Amino acid sequence: MPTDVIKAKNYLLSLGIHGEIPMGSERMEMRKRQMSGQQELVAGGTTTGTAPAQHEQAGQGERASNACCFCWCCCCSCSCLTVRNEDREERNRKASHDVKAEDPGDCEESPKPTMDEVCSWGQSFDKLMRCPAGRCAFRQFLRTEFSEENLLFWLACEEFSKETNKSIISEKARLIYEDYISILSPKEVSLDSRVREVINRNMLEPTSHTFDDAQLQIYTLMQRDSYPRFMNSPVYKNLLKSVSEQCPES
């Protein structure tokens, strides 16, 4: 019996069966390695799959935080909104400068004119313009003709010509130019090309005499054009009647 077993084993060995067992073990080992590798790939794929999603979400978050006021979301923290607020503040500051430049204030606070003063206005335009109450009445008339800017410009130039501080002269010159000389201003006064060229040259280094020619031209325009109509207007006639009625009582 042992002899037969030994013969059988030798027969199997002769058939090469001893090599099949290691080969099967290697295949099993390879399969295990392949399966473990596939599991690692699946796990890695899941991880890499979530990474782009996270990057995409992060990108969307960045896009939302950087959203501009021109996009549909209208983000409140948008830098463009800040720019608009700064522009609005700048316009408000400029508007306050404009009000100061255009409203000298002497017209509204002038005392009530006397009979002699009102009568003297009819003698010459110079007497009308030298009297605060006369300028006030003349300004009211110019409003009805939509030419009040002529008197406002002349008054601004009168105040400007008295300034001596160079830094203030430059600032006031800029305001007067923007309010009354610039063609973009709704309060632009009517000046000929020669005077405009003089002003443009003078604005390079403004002085208290920068607007002298323009002031004289507007003064002449009011004297020749507006003053005669003022003397025949209800504004002047009613004022003359009012002071004449009060004259006997005084």
Side-chain angles (χ1 to χ4, degrees):
M1 190 70 175
T3 305
D4 294 336
V5 172
I6 292 172
K7 290 181 178 179
K9 288 183 178 181
N10 292 332
Y11 176 75
L12 292 174
L13 291 173
S14 65
L15 294 176
I17 295 177
H18 66 279
E20 293 179 358
I21 297 174
M23 289 175 65
S25 299
E26 289 177 359
R27 289 195 194 97
M28 291 296 296
E29 195 69 22
M30 289 175 64
R31 287 197 188 99
K32 289 181 181 179
R33 291 176 182 175
Q34 289 176 356
M35 291 179 65
S36 62
Q38 290 176 357
Q39 290 176 355
E40 291 176 359
L41 289 174
V42 171
T46 304
T47 304
T48 57
T50 56
Q54 292 176 352
H55 289 306
E56 182 178 358
Q57 292 177 357
Q60 291 177 354
E62 292 176 358
R63 287 194 296 271
S65 63
N66 295 330
C68 150
C69 60
F70 297 104
C71 70
W72 61 272
C73 66
C74 297
C75 178
C76 296
S77 61
C78 172
S79 60
C80 297
L81 182 60
T82 304
V83 172
R84 288 203 305 272
N85 290 336
E86 292 176 353
D87 290 342
R88 187 180 300 109
E89 293 175 358
E90 179 63 24
R91 287 195 299 270
N92 290 338
R93 286 194 294 268
K94 183 179 182 301
S96 64
H97 283 304
D98 293 344
V99 171
K100 292 179 181 179
E102 75 175 11
D103 190 5
D106 61 335
C107 289
E108 302 300 331
E109 299 177 0
S110 61
K112 192 170 183 179
T114 64
M115 182 67 180
D116 293 338
E117 287 177 333
V118 176
C119 292
S120 69
W121 299 346
Q123 298 174 7
S124 70
F125 184 62
D126 292 339
K127 292 183 177 181
L128 171 68
M129 293 294 284
R130 285 198 297 265
C131 177
R135 293 194 299 268
C136 181
F138 188 53
R139 179 176 177 178
Q140 292 175 359
F141 166 74
L142 293 178
R143 285 174 182 170
T144 64
E145 294 196 336
F146 304 99
S147 58
E148 182 185 10
E149 67 275 1
N150 290 330
L151 180 60
L152 293 177
F153 172 70
W154 186 87
L155 292 172
C157 290
E158 279 290 289
E159 180 182 358
F160 175 75
S161 62
K162 302 173 184 177
E163 187 59 58
T164 57
N165 189 308
K166 290 185 178 181
S167 60
I168 297 179
I169 286 176
S170 298
E171 177 64 15
K172 286 188 175 182
R174 182 185 64 83
L175 290 175
I176 292 175
Y177 188 93
E178 291 178 355
D179 285 346
Y180 303 108
I181 309 300
S182 172
I183 60 175
L184 301 178
S185 174
K187 299 177 292 184
E188 177 194 5
V189 296
S190 179
L191 298 172
D192 59 37
S193 58
R194 181 192 65 82
V195 173
R196 286 185 176 276
E197 290 177 1
V198 171
I199 292 176
N200 290 334
R201 288 197 301 268
N202 291 341
M203 286 299 294
L204 298 176
E205 294 183 4
T207 67
S208 58
H209 301 287
T210 295
F211 303 104
D212 285 356
D213 290 345
Q215 184 184 15
L216 177 60
Q217 189 171 91
I218 294 302
Y219 186 90
T220 304
L221 175 65
M222 292 189 294
Q223 183 180 20
R224 294 178 179 177
D225 186 53
S226 302
Y227 172 64
R229 291 198 300 274
F230 167 71
M231 298 307 301
N232 294 320
S233 69
V235 174
Y236 177 75
K237 292 180 178 179
N238 292 338
L239 183 59
L240 182 61
K241 181 180 179 180
S242 175
V243 296
S244 62
E245 290 176 350
Q246 297 178 0
C247 188
E249 299 177 2
S250 58

